[in-house]
Amino acid sequence: MTDPAAVARLAEDLTSGLKTGDLEDFYRDLHRHPELAFQEHRTAARLAARLRAAGFEVAEGVGRTGVVGVLANGDGPVVWLRGDMDALPVQEATGLPYASTVDGVMHACGHDVHVTWLAGAAEALAAGRAVWSGTLVVVGQPAEEAGGGAGAMVADGVHERFPRPDALFGQHVAPGLAGFFPHTPGLTMSASDDIEVVVHGVGGHGSRPESTVDPVVTAAYIVTRLQSVVSREVAAKDSAVVTVGQFHAGTKSNVIPAEARLSLNLRTQEPHVRERVLAAIRRVVEGECLAAGCPVPPEVLLTPGYPNTVNDAALDEEIAAVHRQLFGDFTVFDFGPAMGSEDFSLLAPEGVPYDYWYVTSTPAAVWDAAPGEELAEKLANVPGNHSALFAPDLSVLLPGVRTLVSAALSRFTA
Ligand code: ZN
Ligand code: ZN
């Protein structure tokens, strides 16, 4: 279907029968029972049950805890709708009546919203199957946060065991006054890599540093010198972030330890920048260890994380047009690529177009009360993803279902 206005009308029709209270109950239940990466057994079972009840053929345990539901509805394109299901090791501090009941675990990234959207979209499209033709595949992905969930599903044959997608859609709740749908044609999220560094020094008594090679000082120089990688080696037009998130060394004030460990995270948006920054990190680490006289070369272990997420520009423009029809021109805008990362794109086979957009979810009262005049100031002052205070407004549940339903309808045959 190609006329955005017609698609939007159809999406409204198909979702008009959904009960907001039911979606809210489902969401609150998921929020109360968050599960960490690859432990999403209860969440997966809840999603699978709803998909089965709606008439989908459902496979569980795909990529360990993933769920795949297939609704074959005649000739036409195969559309995948993907949502991630895992929670985070965060102690919830929202004080909500439906706050997490699991100590130290919270749906702080809003993946419970994503599962609710998937369930609602699956049910609406199944109930309205008379008006579209094609195959709908609903993918509940595990372990987006801890890494490896999408990769695990691919390794488990998600592209071979189920109908291969002709188009793939995903969306994420984001901070910002609830009810906007940012869309970016092209690059929308960055590549992420983790790097572990081990500095091998020579330990000894704190009173006799001359008999040691102090890895604390060496690692401190590394941290400092790494700050010049982005500022001095990356062109102003390019983007990169190098963060040292962990620095572990030592046990006692008068003992010089034998090693220090650093954990780095790298975000980039272009392969040539990534290569350049990775090479610089290796050079800085090796150079500082050489300068300090470390007896053994350092270890630099790269764990490749997520690739860039690059929306198909034509597909994004098509879906953005539909969402404008649904919610108003002013609700859809492009805020450019983010430094956040996702493994969503791994679920798209080579060459298959995909589109990933955002649904802003900050409650109006929270947004209005946040200090600041400019959008950026306000954004900095409301709880964002991964915050212990992150609390998406329930008003985004139905719109998030509509965005998915309309995207699928836009691709399906009438
Ligand atoms: Zn997250
Ligand atoms: Zn997330």
Side-chain angles (χ1 to χ4, degrees):
M1 292 178 218
T2 47
D3 174 22
V7 172
R9 271 196 306 276
L10 205 51
E12 272 175 355
D13 278 359
L14 260 52
T15 52
S16 63
L18 289 176
K19 295 188 176 57
T20 314
D22 169 60
L23 287 178
E24 289 179 358
D25 288 347
F26 186 60
Y27 166 71
R28 289 194 198 98
D29 176 69
L30 296 173
H31 193 83
R32 278 192 194 98
H33 301 99
E35 295 170 303
L36 292 172
F38 288 125
Q39 297 171 30
E40 311 91 335
H41 301 286
R42 184 183 186 279
T43 310
R46 289 286 191 285
L47 176 62
R50 288 189 78 129
L51 293 176
R52 274 196 197 95
F56 285 72
E57 202 168 300
V58 179
E60 290 180 75
V62 183
R64 293 168 67 180
T65 42
V67 177
V68 179
V70 178
L71 184 69
N73 188 36
D75 292 340
V78 178
V79 173
W80 284 26
L81 303 180
R82 172 273 200 183
D84 40 12
M85 307 190 293
D86 55 323
L88 283 161
V90 170
Q91 180 67 43
E92 180 157 355
T94 61
L96 287 168
Y98 52 91
S100 170
T101 57
V102 185
D103 209 28
V105 183
M106 174 190 177
H107 266 299
C109 202
H111 298 183
D112 45 356
V113 178
H114 303 177
V115 175
T116 306
W117 284 338
L118 276 190
E123 287 163 3
L125 284 160
R129 74 188 82 178
V131 303
W132 60 270
S133 175
T135 298
L136 176 63
V137 178
V138 172
V139 178
Q141 185 208 299
E144 187 279 328
E145 297 288 359
M153 294 190 89
V154 172
D156 199 12
V158 77
H159 293 144
E160 292 77 32
R161 291 165 56 193
F162 306 98
R164 272 170 77 88
D166 295 306
L168 193 86
F169 297 113
Q171 55 183 3
H172 207 301
V173 276
L177 178 61
F180 291 86
F181 308 89
H183 268 264
T184 300
L187 178 74
T188 185
M189 268 181 297
S190 306
S192 170
D193 293 284
D194 285 326
I195 301 145
E196 298 294 319
V197 172
V198 186
V199 174
H200 296 288
V202 176
H205 201 288
S207 69
R208 296 184 58 240
E210 73 278 13
S211 67
T212 71
V213 177
D214 190 339
V216 175
V217 174
T218 309
Y221 275 121
I222 291 172
V223 173
T224 305
R225 178 131 198 161
L226 285 174
Q227 307 311 311
S228 67
V229 171
V230 173
S231 75
R232 300 294 82 189
E233 299 197 42
V234 176
K237 67 177 174 53
D238 294 325
S239 298
V241 178
V242 177
T243 290
V244 181
Q246 293 192 84
F247 186 137
H248 292 297
T251 52
K252 198 174 186 305
S253 63
N254 67 349
V255 176
I256 294 171
E259 66 172 43
R261 288 170 177 269
L262 303 173
S263 302
L264 283 58
N265 182 255
L266 168 61
R267 303 287 169 121
T268 52
Q269 299 181 334
E270 302 234 37
H272 77 273
V273 176
R274 177 175 178 269
E275 290 311 312
R276 172 99 193 226
V277 173
L278 283 173
I281 290 170
R282 280 184 208 284
R283 202 185 63 239
V284 166
V285 172
E286 284 163 9
E288 289 297 341
C289 289
L290 198 66
C294 291
V296 181
E299 290 160 49
V300 180
L301 181 69
L302 168 69
T303 308
Y306 300 155
N308 287 316
T309 306
V310 186
N311 286 332
D312 182 87
L315 185 63
D316 181 72
E317 272 153 28
E318 173 189 322
I319 305 306
V322 172
H323 292 166
R324 281 194 188 93
Q325 287 290 333
L326 268 171
F327 304 108
D329 280 350
F330 66 101
T331 65
V332 177
F333 56 91
D334 175 8
F335 65 33
M339 272 296 163
S341 305
E342 256 285 346
D343 60 356
F344 163 76
S345 66
L346 295 175
L347 289 169
E350 187 78 32
V352 171
Y354 59 80
D355 191 27
Y356 190 93
W357 60 86
Y358 301 90
V359 179
T360 59
S361 66
T362 305
V366 174
W367 183 258
D368 290 344
E373 299 296 322
E374 300 290 317
L375 182 68
E377 276 181 280
K378 285 259 187 200
L379 271 177
N381 285 315
V382 296
N385 306 72
H386 293 205
S387 159
L389 295 169
F390 188 60
D393 196 42
L394 296 182
S395 73
V396 304
L397 295 178
L398 191 56
V401 170
R402 290 202 164 121
T403 46
L404 286 179
V405 167
S406 59
L409 287 174
S410 186
R411 292 278 95 198
F412 283 139
T413 309

